[in-house]
Amino acid sequence: DTGVSQNPRHKITKRGQNVTFRCDPISEHNRLYWYRQTLGQGPEFLTYFQNEAQLEKSRLLSDRFSAERPKGSFSTLEIQRTEQGDSAMYLCASSVPGWYNEQFFGPGTRLTVL
Amino acid sequence: KQEVTQIPAALSVPEGENLVLNCSFTDSAIYNLQWFRQDPGKGLTSLLLIQSSQREQTSGRLNASLDKSSGRSTLYIAASQPGDSATYLCAVRGRDDKIIFGKGTRLHILP
């Protein structure tokens, strides 16, 4: 399978715990994006990388959130001291640069904070 | 700031009917517009992508149109089937390379 993969697919945690999600983009896609989708809403942009450089962060990304892409391949999204409001689907997408290039989405990680 | 609106928020139609989902956006400076399907608790499945220079795209029973100047797109589904039941999301990609999504239309096809 050469699509975008995300792990874990589901995560249940208690409030105050730290969680980390992983995204593996399509190989040779040097752009990687994170989105968050809460119940009944469309996905919202969180941040994106070109290679290992984090180029933009949304104001939605509080200081409890950190994303990395250390070698320009896979990326991790960590949430520290989780809150119930962090419960959402976290989606990753990848693409090659260029306005005509489609972003391909992974299956998402569903986070439930109890 | 780009805003994407989808109407209706929910729709129920009998099987076999043709239907239209609507999407509008406030900033016409887009690179492309994409329609996605999302099943409950699942990720996104891309249905159709229309580049800003195109007027429509077709795939099987689906046809999407784009009128960039008026900030509108429609997704036409022909001969609807129960398996078409899902949430349909419209998304525009702006020149800042971010995708802005609408809230979706929840479609229920009645057998």
Side-chain angles (χ1 to χ4, degrees), chain B residues 80-94:
Chain B
S80 58
Q81 303 171 358
D84 295 331
S85 297
T87 295
Y88 290 81
L89 292 161
C90 170
V92 296
R93 184 172 181 179

Side-chain angles (χ1 to χ4, degrees), chain A:
Chain A
D1 189 331
T2 58
V4 179
S5 62
Q6 293 187 244
N7 288 289
R9 296 292 304 277
H10 304 274
K11 179 70 177 178
I12 300 174
T13 191
K14 293 182 179 179
R15 189 175 54 185
Q17 299 295 304
N18 299 343
V19 295
T20 300
F21 311 139
R22 174 175 171 135
C23 171
D24 286 87
I26 294 170
S27 52
E28 298 166 1
H29 279 193
N30 53 6
R31 286 210 172 165
L32 187 149
Y33 308 79
W34 286 99
Y35 295 82
R36 180 174 71 184
Q37 184 180 25
T38 54
L39 200 61
Q41 304 294 314
E44 295 174 289
F45 170 81
L46 291 179
T47 187
Y48 85 98
F49 294 83
Q50 177 150 322
N51 300 314
E52 63 275 11
Q54 188 172 17
L55 297 187
E56 187 170 349
K57 293 168 59 173
S58 163
R59 280 173 287 182
L60 293 175
L61 216 62
S62 77
D63 56 7
R64 295 184 297 105
F65 288 70
S66 62
E68 294 183 344
R69 195 182 182 197
K71 297 182 180 179
S73 56
F74 72 90
S75 175
T76 58
L77 178 67
E78 180 183 15
I79 309 174
Q80 296 181 327
R81 305 181 302 281
T82 52
E83 302 173 355
Q84 288 184 323
D86 297 331
S87 296
M89 174 78 87
Y90 290 83
L91 294 160
C92 175
S94 71
S95 77
V96 294
W99 61 269
Y100 48 86
N101 288 314
E102 183 176 350
Q103 291 184 21
F104 292 86
F105 282 80
T109 293
R110 178 164 294 283
L111 172 66
T112 302
V113 181
L114 301 176

Side-chain angles (χ1 to χ4, degrees), chain B residues 98-110:
Chain B
K98 291 197 289 287
I99 293 180
I100 307 297
F101 287 83
K103 293 184 178 181
T105 294
R106 293 187 312 280
L107 177 63
H108 182 47
I109 305 300
L110 305 167

